[in-house]
Amino acid sequence: MSSEFSPIDKAKFVAAKRAVDYVDDGMRVGLGTGSTAAWMVKMLGELVRDEGLKIKAVPTSNRTAQLARDVGIDVFTLDEVKWLDLTIDGADEFDPDLNLIKGGGGALLQEKIVATASDQMVVISDASKSVETLGAFPLPVEVVKFGWQTTKALIEECLSNVNVLGSAVSLRLQNDAPMLTDEGHYILDLHLKRIENARELSLILNQVPGVVENGLFLDIADAIVIGHGDGRVEVRDINNGTVEKEQIDILLNENLFADIED
């Protein structure tokens, strides 16, 4: 990897590289969405091409599906596969118990469905996403378009009754228009700063009419691979209570990084 890549880029890369070690031949694998997950997909594509790895992949977004096809991975729907051995995905924030905020890329609904339909979820992240308490990253909430402003008002009312530091709610835009998810929904971003009781908030939000799903991933992740800019990785397994540390070679073919966007 050349010096033009930042320490964050390198951290994401080594996390993704270490995570592909979880994938065995014949597995049914959920493929996450985002820049770190995109590197993981490209690495799996190299294994498919160069080492004959055979997997059935279920992407969590249209753009991940296209990338997987581009690198030669066989893509299936969740309905075709039914259940997954493993999902590898990124996170916008994670706490010491491996609870997550996800949805910065707009794919939270499909990501949560795929992750919960898996025997194991492995999170890939750089160390900057680590927090003691969730909430610094805006919490995405996917809502139906019909009556979305009413849904927004109901969410704001709910926030006045829960223990959070902020209560601003904004509609996510793309090119000056409401961003549409792959399922045709809108996303509201909740700028909460700190969430004292994530489990309570998740339950409350999902009871609001018009809310499809929220970006709190609680008790879903089994392990996390945390990358550092100097090539170090830390693997935390929440089920075994283990922490492993190792060094990953980051001198790789730069073609792996072409066309990857946040």
Side-chain angles (χ1 to χ4, degrees), residues 38-106:
W39 289 345
M40 175 269 299
V41 172
K42 281 203 165 188
M43 292 175 206
L44 286 177
E46 286 196 336
L47 293 175
V48 168
R49 182 186 67 244
D50 299 338
E51 300 184 19
L53 177 72
K54 294 187 182 300
I55 60 173
K56 291 184 176 180
V58 175
T60 55
S61 67
N62 293 338
R63 61 184 180 276
T64 296
Q66 186 58 56
L67 176 59
R69 293 188 185 99
D70 289 344
V71 299
I73 298 173
D74 292 331
V75 172
F76 297 82
T77 67
L78 186 58
D79 288 334
E80 290 173 323
V81 173
K82 308 298 185 187
W83 194 260
L84 300 168
D85 300 293
L86 170 70
T87 288
I88 304 176
D89 204 350
D92 298 303
E93 213 172 60
F94 65 91
D95 71 10
D97 295 319
L98 299 196
N99 293 313
L100 320 171
I101 286 181
K102 289 179 53 57

Side-chain angles (χ1 to χ4, degrees), residues 93-100 129-134 224 236-238:
E93 213 172 60
F94 65 91
D95 71 10
D97 295 319
L98 299 196
N99 293 313
L100 320 171
K129 307 293 180 62
S130 175
V131 297
E132 284 301 312
T133 304
L134 297 176
I224 186 165
R236 300 179 191 170
D237 189 309
I238 197 72

Side-chain angles (χ1 to χ4, degrees), residues 105-159:
L108 67 101
L109 176 59
Q110 293 187 23
E111 287 173 335
K112 188 173 281 192
I113 292 171
V114 169
T116 54
S118 304
D119 287 336
Q120 185 178 30
M121 182 192 186
V122 174
V123 178
I124 46 180
S125 180
D126 62 88
S128 70
K129 307 293 180 62
S130 175
V131 297
E132 284 301 312
T133 304
L134 297 176
F137 190 90
L139 175 65
V141 178
E142 190 158 339
V143 302
V144 297
K145 290 190 288 185
F146 177 81
W148 73 267
Q149 294 188 59
T150 299
T151 302
K152 177 175 178 287
L154 290 171
I155 290 174
E156 290 169 337
E157 183 178 346
C158 290
L159 293 179

Side-chain angles (χ1 to χ4, degrees), residues 1-2 4-21 23 30-49 53 55 63-64 67-68 71 73 88-90 124-127 129 225-229 231 233 248-250 252-262:
M1 185 182 299
S2 76
E4 71 183 85
F5 292 99
S6 70
I8 292 294
D9 290 329
K10 294 176 182 179
K12 291 179 178 181
F13 165 67
V14 294
K17 185 176 182 182
R18 175 61 178 83
V20 301
D21 291 343
V23 180
L31 304 179
T33 295
S35 58
T36 313
W39 289 345
M40 175 269 299
V41 172
K42 281 203 165 188
M43 292 175 206
L44 286 177
E46 286 196 336
L47 293 175
V48 168
R49 182 186 67 244
L53 177 72
I55 60 173
R63 61 184 180 276
T64 296
L67 176 59
V71 299
I73 298 173
I88 304 176
D89 204 350
I124 46 180
S125 180
D126 62 88
K129 307 293 180 62
V225 183
I226 306 167
H228 297 264
V233 294
I248 300 292
D249 180 14
I250 58 176
L252 241 250
N253 182 354
E254 293 174 18
N255 290 333
L256 190 67
F257 300 87
D259 304 323
I260 289 181
E261 299 177 355
D262 288 332

